Structures are given as C-alpha cells and as structure tokens.
Amino acid sequence: MRNAATILHLDMDAFYASVEQASKPSLRGKAVIVGGLGPRGVVATASYEARVFGVRSAMPMAQARRLAPHAAYLVPRFGMYKAISEQVMALLHSLSPLVEPLSLDEAFVDLEAGEAAWDDASARLVGEKLRVDIRAGTGLTGSVGLAASKMVAKIASEEAKPDGLVLIEPGTERALLGPMSVRTLPGVGPATGDHLRRAGISTVDEIAEAGEDELVRLLGKAHGHALYAMALAHDDRPVVAERETKSVSVEDTYDVDIHDRLRVGLEVQRLADRCVRRLRDAGLSGRTIVLKVRRYDFSTLTRSETLRGPTDDLAVVREAAARLLDTVDTTGGVRLLGVGVSGLADYTQEDLFAQAAGEGTAMPAEEPADEPAPVEAAPAERRWRPGHDVRHGEFGHGWVQGSGLGRVTVRFETPGSEPGRVRTFRSDDPHLEPADPLPLVAQGPGTTFAEVS
C-alpha cells in the first residue's frame, strides 16, 4: 500500500434520480424512484427523499410503491445518463490516465499516475476541485473518497454521502474499520454476513480477532483469506484503466409469463438482433453463443454453443440461438430471456455461414425483409413512458407524468424554468411528439483542472 491517500473513488449521488430531479424542477426535493414500472420491475435508483421511506435500489417496484405511494415513478432515460456519465468521466481522465470505471456513476482514479497529487493535502485539493467541476458541468453532486487503497477509498466515499469528501489518512485504516459492520467489506453480502453473525462475528475487529484459520474454516480458503486481509486493511489492487470485455449480452424480463412457443422464438430472434448490434457497435465478434432462460418457477437455464471462429454475423447468431432454444422446455412459461456472445475477438471469420443450420446457403447478414418491424417503429404504437421527454407544438418542451385510457398527461417545464403546468392530451395528439432531453446546465463546463501546487 502507498503512503498517501492518492487513490480517489467517485460515486455520484443517487445518480439516475438526481438527473431526473435536475431536469424536472417540479421534482426537486421530492421522492423520486427510477426503474421498471411493470409488475416485475425493480428500483434502479431512489432519491434521498425516497430513501427516508425505506426504498432502496434493487427492491421490487411493488414494494417501493407500498412504502412510498406518493413518490414520482419514472422509467430510466439511459441515453441521457450515459451522456452525463461521459462528461464526468472526461473530468476524471483529465486527472490521470488510470481511471477505472465501475459503472456509469462510479470510478476509481490513481492520482499519482497523473501527477495530480502526491500527498494527502494535494489529494484533498484535487478531490474538492473535482466536486466543484462536476456540479458546474452537470448540475449534479458526487461524493469523493480518498485513501491509500481502493477498498478504503470506496468505503470513504460511502461515508462522505451525500455531496461530501472523506480522506482517510494512511495508517488509520484499522482504527476506522474496526467498529464497522462486517457488511462494510466488499464481498460480504447478506448470506455471508448472517453466517459470520451466527459464528459470533459482527464487526471488522471481530473478523481480525477470529484469525485467518477460523475464517477459512467458516468460509472456505479463497474467501477466508481475502476477508482476513480486508479486515487488516490490506489491499494492493492497482487501478486498472481498461477492463477486458468478456461478453456482450442482452436480456428482457416480461411482465407476464410467455407461454406461446412461437412468441418465445420471436423474442429470442429479437434479442439476437440487439446482441449483434452491440457487438458491431463495439467492433467485436465472438465464438460462443449463449442462451439464458428463466422459467415460471424462477429456475434459470443457460445453454451455449461454440462456433469454429468468431463472428458478428446476424444469421449465424440467430440460428445458433434458435438451436439452443430447441433444447429448452418452456411449457410452463418464460419470465426472462437473454442472448449473449462470449469468447470475444476484434476480428471476424468471414466464411462462417456454413455453421448455420442451412449449410451450403449463405445467410443474409441483415434482417429479412418479411421480419415484423420493431414495436417502437410502428406508428400506431405510440407509448408515452413516464419521465420521458416530449415536445408540443404550442406548449413547448415537457415530460410525461403518466398515460393510459387514450390520454397522456404532460408537465411543461425545462431544467432552467420554474415548476411547470400540467396538461392532458389525447395519446394520438398530432402536436405531441417525443423529444431529446435538454442539457441540465445552460453552458458546458470548463473541463480542465487547474494545476495543483
């Protein structure tokens, strides 16, 4: 471990919900919950106002509605979240070449590698400057943890929430971690935490006191050794700038179980199409096609087929996924389907059409002309998703508050306006159309950092 707190961990505060509050003045200071709104939806992010009611990420949406019935429930706008994430990541990359993103809203930065900081004082200055620049550029807040290791920096950012900075000086880690719950340590989930509690171990100090041999006996060799090292605050993992992509996959969960075998097959083909688009967008190909099926009883089956060489050919992936589906019994109903490609490479094997079922006939690389058009392309299927942006010819920019029974309710406001008025229209109103999100701040940020001295 290093002798200065020059590993930074940034965690944006309630990211998805904060973006929605920043773009919708009427939701600021109110409970906002973002996630899937169907019967099987889960919470992606809850604002801090919603967390007061006990709502948490990954909670079933039905449970969230019982806890916070008056909250605003919105469908995610991933395109906007990604655009804002790219702004934030650009700020991090201006600090160091070693930036390790963990998700859209979270990353480690090695400040020493970029010579942005060399001791605790300079690291603190950089951390505070980063928070100011994020707020100026995006209108959002992020919490910063600074420490001599990745594990402790992440714990520090959690302690800093919301909208704060915590620096843990090297040499003080053991004293800080000691009284904390075992659940504070990475990799200790509910099951492991309960197992340790039954053994009389509930704090990090008690892990260290139990000793490595006892932890190995309780948890197994690999987990026991790792947990003992973490309890002693030993973490030498470097910040890794790029993680190798191991697979590309897509999956959908259905509000109602699918029993029709024909529809299951069509869904698998649609997922294969999306998966291939992602492959091509990333400039990748793969050798192994994977099918995932979660059945009505929550049992999950995976099937895979390995080709002779890597491909990004739509027909090959489609046919492989269809063959895999033939091996799965879906009689009782299907609640989730997924298609993935692994064994990735940055090149393709051109002559792979013979691997498809119709050997000897080249399969078309693109979607057949008689394939049904995607739902979103059909003009008769105008779906107004809560939280998504719209524009009206007379009233301007707004967002969907709700829809149903042939009506759509829109609140007309922008990030820089006062809370706007609500109006209801017919869902097929020709003057109402989907719109792109507006920037959260009027002008872009200065994305360079002043030299720390």
Side-chain angles (χ1 to χ4, degrees), residues 77 80 389-391 397-398 433-439:
R77 296 184 294 164
M80 185 168 191
D389 298 84
V390 294
R391 176 170 291 280
H397 192 95
E433 60 184 7
D436 292 329
L438 297 177

Side-chain angles (χ1 to χ4, degrees), residues 3-355:
N3 56 13
T6 52
I7 292 181
L8 180 149
H9 181 259
L10 170 71
D11 196 352
M12 299 295 290
D13 299 323
F15 184 50
Y16 297 171
S18 293
V19 171
E20 300 302 339
Q21 288 176 316
S23 65
K24 300 173 173 64
S26 59
L27 297 184
R28 293 171 191 169
K30 298 181 180 178
V32 174
I33 298 169
V34 180
L37 303 188
R40 292 174 178 164
V42 297
V43 175
T45 307
S47 69
Y48 287 98
E49 295 85 355
R51 296 180 191 187
V52 171
F53 298 99
V55 180
R56 296 289 183 269
S57 298
M59 173 181 287
M61 192 62 77
Q63 182 181 357
R65 289 185 184 276
R66 289 194 295 270
L67 293 172
H70 302 298
Y73 289 85
L74 307 176
V75 174
R77 296 184 294 164
F78 288 113
M80 185 168 191
Y81 307 151
K82 183 179 179 182
I84 295 172
S85 173
E86 288 172 354
Q87 285 183 264
V88 174
M89 294 301 166
L91 291 172
L92 300 183
H93 280 287
S94 73
L95 293 173
S96 173
L98 294 184
V99 176
E100 182 178 341
L102 303 180
S103 62
L104 288 178
D105 61 339
E106 185 180 2
F108 288 109
V109 184
D110 187 335
L111 298 179
E112 280 189 23
E115 299 183 353
W118 50 89
D119 59 13
D120 292 355
S122 58
R124 184 182 293 276
L125 287 174
V126 171
E128 293 290 6
K129 180 69 164 60
L130 172 65
R131 294 177 56 240
V132 169
D133 282 2
I134 288 173
R135 185 186 287 272
T138 68
L140 305 177
T141 63
S143 296
V144 169
L146 292 157
S149 70
K150 289 167 68 173
M151 180 189 77
V152 180
K154 185 173 174 62
I155 292 171
S157 69
E158 189 63 31
E159 293 292 305
K161 282 187 169 293
D163 190 20
L165 181 149
V166 169
L167 183 149
I168 298 176
E169 296 179 2
T172 68
E173 296 94 347
R174 286 286 305 277
L176 173 81
L177 293 175
M180 291 184 173
S181 165
V182 295
R183 292 289 304 278
T184 303
L185 299 179
V188 181
T192 301
D194 287 345
H195 191 52
L196 291 170
R197 180 181 52 78
R198 288 193 296 270
I201 300 172
S202 58
T203 67
V204 176
D205 265 343
E206 288 168 347
I207 290 177
E209 292 167 3
E212 192 167 14
D213 291 342
E214 177 65 7
L215 290 172
V216 168
R217 185 187 70 79
L218 288 171
L219 305 174
K221 187 174 182 180
H223 201 179
H225 286 314
L227 194 58
Y228 183 69
M230 287 189 289
L232 299 180
H234 293 166
D235 179 18
D236 294 322
R237 294 173 300 155
V239 175
V240 180
E242 293 185 6
R243 294 185 173 196
E244 182 181 358
T245 302
K246 296 182 179 180
S247 66
V248 172
S249 63
V250 296
E251 63 181 44
D252 276 345
T253 300
Y254 304 99
D255 291 343
V256 178
D257 291 347
I258 302 176
H259 292 84
D260 184 340
R261 181 74 177 190
L262 176 60
R263 187 187 165 197
V264 172
L266 290 174
E267 288 295 316
V268 168
Q269 297 296 292
R270 185 178 60 81
L271 291 166
D273 295 354
R274 287 170 52 195
C275 185
V276 168
R277 284 198 297 271
R278 287 193 180 183
L279 270 180
R280 291 177 176 176
D281 288 346
L284 297 170
S285 60
R287 297 183 67 234
T288 301
I289 314 303
V290 181
L291 175 71
K292 178 179 177 182
V293 179
R294 180 166 297 149
R295 298 189 292 190
Y296 69 98
D297 58 357
F298 285 91
S299 62
T300 302
L301 304 176
T302 57
R303 299 288 186 267
S304 64
E305 176 180 319
T306 299
L307 308 174
R308 292 197 301 268
T311 185
D312 65 354
D313 188 287
L314 176 61
V316 172
V317 176
R318 273 185 162 205
E319 292 216 357
R323 287 195 297 274
L324 294 170
L325 180 61
D326 286 341
T327 69
V328 178
D329 179 12
T330 62
T331 305
V334 169
R335 60 187 295 122
L336 176 147
L337 290 168
V339 174
V341 178
S342 61
L344 300 182
D346 56 3
Y347 66 96
T348 60
Q349 176 88 24
E350 296 298 336
D351 187 20
L352 280 175
F353 64 84
Q355 296 178 109

